[in-house]
Amino acid sequence: MNDTVSIGSSPRRIRQNNIVAALQTIYAHRSLSRADLARKLGMNRSSSGEIVAELTEGGFVQESDESGKQRLEHSRAGRPGIMLELVPDAAFFVGIEIGVEHISAAVVDLSAEVRACRKIPFDTPSSTVEEAVSQGVELIVGAMAKGMIGRCKGLGISAPAHIRPDGIVTLAPIIGWRDVSLKEIGRSAFPAAVPIAVENDANAFAIGDSYRHGAAGVTLFLLMETGVGGGIMIDGKLFRGGHGLAGEIGHTLVPGSGGQKFEQLIGREVLIRQYREAVGRSHADLQEFLGGVRDRVPAAVNIAETWSRHLAYALLQACRLLDPDRIVLGGSVASLYPMVAARVAVHMSEGQNIPFPTPEIVVDDDAEFGSAFGAACMLHQRFLSLESEEFGSEDGAPVQPATS
């Protein structure tokens, strides 16, 4: 995020730049004194004070007493300082993930903290796009407290699809979508006129995890559900490739598998199908399989061993190509990894003649909601940027107060 102002900027642009820079800085530090904010913005106290007054009047920033809070950067003896911090309830951002067999949704506030999340089973391939989006909107709107819709500043939608920058889904083979204007369908379904962004589910997952943990270096993200999607972050920026399809490791053909793709070997469906056949229970689900692995049930352990071998092979290929510092696993299938991490490490070691650096492999903090959270974060990020329409009013016009 760049908070510098170009010399040739118009007064309106300078004002917008300064407001956005102040919000970005307070968000990044969680709380700052007025003096610290002015110093970080490169402004004198008077100019910074005008920006703070405008944001305070608009309900986006508030003063808080430092006492009783652990603010190590500012802690000092004597009288507690008055700090500036964001007003969490000033703005909300909604994220909806439309999966193959589920829809998940989340709401984050201006501090990017999750305020609500919901998930339901949903058979997306058997439904229309309109039905899926409407169900996602209904799911999260029903979880939002009164007044939150009026302060909603953006809607993000993610799906396992190839998506153009204009929000058109060109192809989503696993759910049967083609040439669909997901952005416009979302605009029609949502009960408020807000900015809307759509993104591939794995890319949204990558954005969300990076929002929580930062993304220095190279990180590979795998979202493992029925399909397996991938996202790549390089020094905090999403790497899309030449056609927006970078990271699609799930579509890679596996040698010796009879023409199968990685997602057909390590996705949710293959695990459930194999477990049902092994134990003779047609209604066994993923949670029952995971419980079987945890309890060392032989049939479940054998399936998990095969899965760990396929995953190790997939990760090895990705590591040779990308040399990532970190690999983050998400989606419902990611819950299996901690139980077989040692086996995956063994298979990765056995699969290379020349030892290469091994990246850290972790499971996302909230793997099942990672894509929905990331979809919401996309709009939070937009709000705290020069793309935001919130602070682009005419010269001198005050920031509009948040509505209740």
Side-chain angles (χ1 to χ4, degrees):
M1 293 183 175
N2 185 4
D3 59 13
T4 59
V5 179
S6 64
I7 296 175
S9 297
S10 67
R12 176 181 177 181
R13 188 67 168 176
I14 291 173
R15 170 185 170 275
Q16 184 183 10
N17 282 12
N18 289 337
I19 288 173
V20 168
L23 286 172
Q24 290 174 355
T25 304
I26 297 171
Y27 169 71
H29 293 83
R30 297 302 176 182
S31 69
L32 282 173
S33 69
R34 288 175 177 270
D36 285 341
L37 178 62
R39 185 173 63 254
K40 291 181 181 297
L41 294 179
M43 294 180 176
N44 59 44
R45 290 284 295 273
S46 176
S47 298
S48 176
E50 291 178 6
I51 297 298
V52 170
E54 191 168 350
L55 289 171
T56 301
E57 182 182 349
F60 296 102
V61 170
Q62 64 187 359
E63 292 184 337
S64 65
D65 196 317
E66 186 186 24
S67 61
K69 299 181 181 180
Q70 295 183 359
R71 306 186 190 279
L72 300 181
E73 182 180 349
H74 302 285
S75 61
R76 53 190 177 272
R79 182 179 177 182
I82 300 299
M83 311 300 290
L84 298 172
E85 60 185 20
L86 298 180
V87 178
D89 286 357
F92 297 97
F93 309 88
V94 171
I96 296 172
E97 178 202 5
I98 300 174
V100 181
E101 294 184 326
H102 73 276
I103 292 176
S104 61
V107 179
V108 302
D109 60 25
L110 188 55
S111 298
E113 296 296 329
V114 176
R115 299 293 292 272
C117 55
R118 296 288 186 274
K119 183 176 182 178
I120 57 169
F122 189 81
D123 186 2
T124 301
S126 299
S127 307
T128 66
V129 182
E130 290 79 5
E131 288 171 341
V133 173
S134 177
Q135 184 64 63
V137 170
E138 181 181 336
L139 175 67
I140 197 59
V141 168
M144 297 174 73
K146 183 179 179 181
M148 292 175 73
I149 291 294
R151 284 169 286 176
C152 183
K153 303 298 182 181
L155 166 66
I157 303 174
S158 70
H162 301 168
I163 300 172
R164 293 195 327 222
D166 60 0
I168 301 293
V169 173
T170 57
L171 181 64
I174 203 166
I175 53 178
W177 297 356
R178 181 186 290 272
D179 298 326
V180 172
S181 181
L182 189 55
K183 180 182 287 187
E184 291 305 316
I185 293 172
R187 180 170 287 116
S188 298
F190 201 68
V194 298
I196 297 176
V198 299
E199 183 59 271
N200 170 270
D201 55 353
N203 285 344
F205 168 57
I207 291 169
D209 183 89
S210 299
Y211 231 64
R212 285 192 176 109
H213 303 292
V218 180
T219 305
L220 170 66
F221 298 85
L222 291 186
L223 184 65
M224 300 185 290
E225 292 285 356
T226 298
V228 178
I232 303 167
M233 297 290 287
I234 301 177
D235 291 332
K237 294 183 179 180
L238 184 67
F239 177 70
R240 296 184 178 277
H243 304 89
L245 303 177
E248 289 288 359
I249 190 173
H251 290 272
T252 305
L253 294 176
V254 179
S257 67
Q260 293 188 87
K261 298 179 292 186
F262 275 126
E263 65 184 16
Q264 294 174 302
L265 297 173
I266 63 176
R268 177 189 178 102
E269 290 306 295
V270 67
L271 290 176
I272 295 175
R273 185 183 71 250
Q274 290 175 346
Y275 186 66
R276 286 174 176 176
E277 293 173 353
V279 298
R281 290 195 293 275
S282 61
H283 297 293
D285 59 13
L286 181 65
Q287 292 306 312
E288 185 175 334
F289 164 69
L290 294 173
V293 177
R294 192 175 300 110
D295 296 337
R296 310 302 298 170
V297 175
V301 171
N302 289 338
I303 294 169
E305 168 63 15
T306 301
W307 183 88
S308 67
R309 187 172 66 252
H310 290 314
L311 178 63
Y313 184 81
L315 295 183
L316 271 180
Q317 309 317 306
C319 287
R320 295 296 71 76
L321 184 63
L322 298 175
D323 188 24
D325 303 288
R326 185 167 170 259
I327 296 174
V328 182
L329 308 179
S332 58
V333 180
S335 299
L336 175 58
Y337 176 74
M339 293 182 274
V340 297
R343 296 301 302 157
V344 173
V346 168
H347 292 308
M348 290 184 70
S349 177
E350 293 174 346
Q352 50 187 346
N353 294 326
I354 301 175
F356 284 85
T358 301
E360 176 189 20
I361 304 175
V362 299
V363 175
D364 182 70
D365 295 337
D366 195 2
E368 292 200 42
F369 286 95
S371 188
F373 173 73
C377 288
M378 292 190 304
L379 277 301
H380 181 275
Q381 187 176 56
R382 185 184 188 279
F383 187 80
L384 298 185
S385 76
L386 293 177
E387 295 181 49
S388 176
E389 300 170 1
E390 189 76 21
F391 311 111
S393 57
E394 295 299 327
D395 293 355
V399 176
Q400 293 300 309
T403 58
S404 59

